[in-house]
Amino acid sequence: MLNLGYVLEETAKNYPNVTAVILDQIKISYEQLNKYSNRVANILKQKGLKRGDKVAMMIPNLPYFPMIYYGILKAGGVVVPVNVLYQKMEIEHYIKDSESVAFIVYHGCAGEAVKAYQSVDTCKHLIIIPPMDNMGDLEVGENFNKLIMESSDEFDVVQTMPDDTAVILYTSGTTGAPKGAELTHFNMFFNSYYASHEIVRVKPGLVALVVLPLFHSFGQTCVMNACIMRGGTLSMLPRFETQKAMEVIARDRINVLAMVPTMYAFILNAPNWKDYDFSCVTLAVSGGAALPADIHQRFQERYGITILEGYGLSETSPVASFTVLGEEVRVGSIGKPIWGVDMRIMRDDGTFAGPDEIGEIVIRGHNVMKGYYKRTEATLEVMVNDWFHTGDMGRTDKDGYFYIVDRKKELIIRGGMNIYPREIEEVLYTHPKVLEAAVVGIPDKLRGEEVRVYVSPKEGEEIHPEEIMQFLQEKIAKFKWPKDVVVLPQLPKGPTGKILKRQLRTMPIV
């Protein structure tokens, strides 16, 4: 059975007493994690969950995440992870578009989540995870603590098929609202299997740092699922804080680091780095954004560890290519395609490019999504003749190593977090004074990219950057907030009237 909930069950049989999760002083064994996930599956079954029903979950990096994630899969449900930083409008889109029948929320995220739930009629069950000592009734929703204490820890995993959808990960292009990439049980199982055996090379008791958000595909597949598959230990950090991360690496004797370039940069720039023993670290991997050569070199010089880079997207489960242990490390390269995945550079005319020729990266293989949920046209736009078109421009060298050159899409990657300009622009256009709006990414040494907003006012109106900043802070998640707002009389446009974002990116700020 390719259900990852079943994988957890098998790991628990083989390594019942191995620590599955560490959070500060809390340690949970595989046997305990498996039983908790069974309780979650029973709760959902009692709520009437049927095979294929969607369950949204809004939970930070806490032991609750794997409990609930694998519980949903065991019950035959589809996991819909929601970014814990999102606000009402963003959350509402996820649970409404996915047709989630239940929504499980950690109490620290409940403020915006409850508002979103109350505005979506199709979601029938709201379960809130309150503080551990709270067993009473809640003002809104059902108490997770109470439900789980009343539930059985025995459950027979629901049979699922390889092509059944396991997870819906929301992502977006340059236009419109985020789309749900349907990843099948086979997608998730095989990508996790490869990550476990070839990238992270998990053995029972190996300790991996969980600081990448588990609601994103990188942390979900390459850390959580990869470790669960072979009895690794997950040392969890709810959010990245430089000092806390360094303390945990030393305290829990972390073996594997999986982080985005910004996190490595913060650690390298910490003034008291000598206070923490990193000799336990045997592997460091990076993804989510291009790793600057400077960070690569400094990490190697300081710790004697070569950071390995890879590439992927939510639509590819996510790993498509990687530089694995034993291969030559070429700084700036995203490695070679993983086993079973074909990756090429395609010219605009649909033919394949040769070495050092720039074109679009296209992918086919076991890792490519089923499609965008309920978005046939959007799926057909990116799936052409069985090739998934990534929107990323790249090249290969003569030895077949891939390199990212630029982004065909206008995606901004700030500290490893994906920010889609169109989403912010759509919010800006709701401001009563805004005539035109454009959002661009600008280079930033620490975070890779920062967000800059350009607006022009309607006739007779005057706009101050501060009011736009405040307006956005009330509407969108904090990680999308712009670094600055620039007000221009009018935005530069080409012959067809299209706003010239390339010109805005290079425009000097007075």
Side-chain angles (χ1 to χ4, degrees), residues 20 36 41 54 57 112 170 184 208 214 274 319 374 378 394 430 450:
Y36 280 125
K54 287 64 171 192
M57 55 183 290
E112 294 295 310
Y170 274 80
T184 66
L214 291 176
K274 289 183 179 179
V319 187
K374 301 187 300 183
T430 66
E450 273 287 3

Side-chain angles (χ1 to χ4, degrees), residues 204-494:
L206 171 143
V207 186
L209 182 68
V210 183
V211 69
L212 295 166
L214 291 176
F215 51 76
H216 277 184
S217 55
F218 186 10
Q220 198 176 120
T221 292
C222 296
V223 184
M224 184 179 76
N225 287 337
C227 282
I228 294 293
M229 192 160 273
R230 301 186 80 187
T233 298
L234 303 167
S235 175
M236 292 190 162
L237 267 178
R239 60 185 176 277
F240 180 81
E241 296 170 341
T242 307
Q243 293 304 315
K244 181 66 173 177
M246 296 172 79
E247 288 170 14
V248 169
I249 291 167
R251 182 197 72 199
D252 293 346
R253 307 302 294 159
I254 299 293
N255 307 125
V256 175
L257 300 179
M259 303 192 294
V260 296
T262 304
M263 297 174 183
Y264 286 109
F266 276 119
I267 286 175
L268 286 169
N269 292 333
N272 60 338
W273 64 271
K274 289 183 179 179
D275 296 342
Y276 301 98
D277 179 11
F278 277 28
S279 62
C280 49
V281 178
T282 56
L283 177 68
V285 298
S286 179
L291 181 72
D294 176 63
I295 294 176
H296 192 286
Q297 182 180 345
R298 288 170 61 198
F299 204 83
Q300 170 71 49
E301 290 173 351
R302 181 183 293 178
Y303 299 111
I305 298 169
T306 301
I307 300 174
L308 304 179
E309 281 195 86
Y311 169 75
L313 308 93
S314 297
E315 293 93 336
T316 60
S317 307
V319 187
S321 69
F322 223 92
T323 302
V324 298
L325 284 170
E327 285 185 356
E328 179 187 352
V329 175
R330 302 192 180 187
V331 177
S333 171
I334 54 172
K336 293 181 178 181
I338 66 171
W339 187 91
V341 172
D342 196 2
M343 212 161 105
R344 302 282 186 91
I345 302 295
M346 185 176 282
R347 303 185 184 102
D348 288 341
D349 62 3
T351 59
F352 296 120
D356 294 320
E357 188 179 347
I358 294 173
E360 185 179 9
I361 297 174
V362 294
I363 301 168
R364 65 180 179 184
H366 55 74
N367 60 337
V368 176
M369 66 173 180
K370 182 190 291 189
Y372 292 121
Y373 186 58
K374 301 187 300 183
R375 304 287 178 89
T376 303
E377 289 185 12
T379 302
L380 293 174
E381 284 176 12
V382 296
M383 294 297 304
V384 183
N385 296 326
D386 295 327
W387 288 96
F388 171 68
H389 287 246
T390 67
D392 289 331
M393 306 301 285
R395 65 176 179 84
T396 59
D397 61 22
K398 61 182 177 61
D399 300 315
Y401 286 82
F402 278 73
Y403 300 79
I404 297 287
V405 175
D406 200 355
R407 296 190 176 274
K408 194 172 182 179
K409 298 176 182 178
E410 295 172 349
L411 175 68
I412 299 168
I413 301 182
R414 180 184 184 271
M417 300 290 276
N418 290 355
I419 299 171
Y420 302 97
R422 186 62 186 171
E423 288 184 61
I424 304 175
E425 288 163 4
E426 288 181 359
V427 174
L428 287 166
Y429 276 114
T430 66
H431 191 285
K433 294 183 181 179
V434 170
L435 176 65
E436 297 173 322
V439 176
V440 300
I442 55 173
D444 182 82
K445 287 184 179 180
L446 196 57
R447 292 180 172 81
E449 287 182 293
E450 273 287 3
V451 178
R452 174 167 290 159
V453 164
Y454 287 91
V455 292
S456 66
K458 293 178 180 177
E459 188 174 352
E461 297 285 0
E462 185 177 352
I463 297 177
H464 297 284
E466 296 77 16
E467 68 182 293
I468 296 297
M469 191 75 79
Q470 184 178 348
F471 179 77
L472 288 175
Q473 289 173 357
E474 294 172 355
K475 300 287 185 182
I476 60 175
K478 188 174 182 179
F479 74 88
K480 300 178 186 177
W481 292 358
K483 181 179 181 181
D484 49 28
V485 175
V486 180
V487 180
L488 298 174
Q490 57 183 20
L491 304 189
K493 289 178 281 292

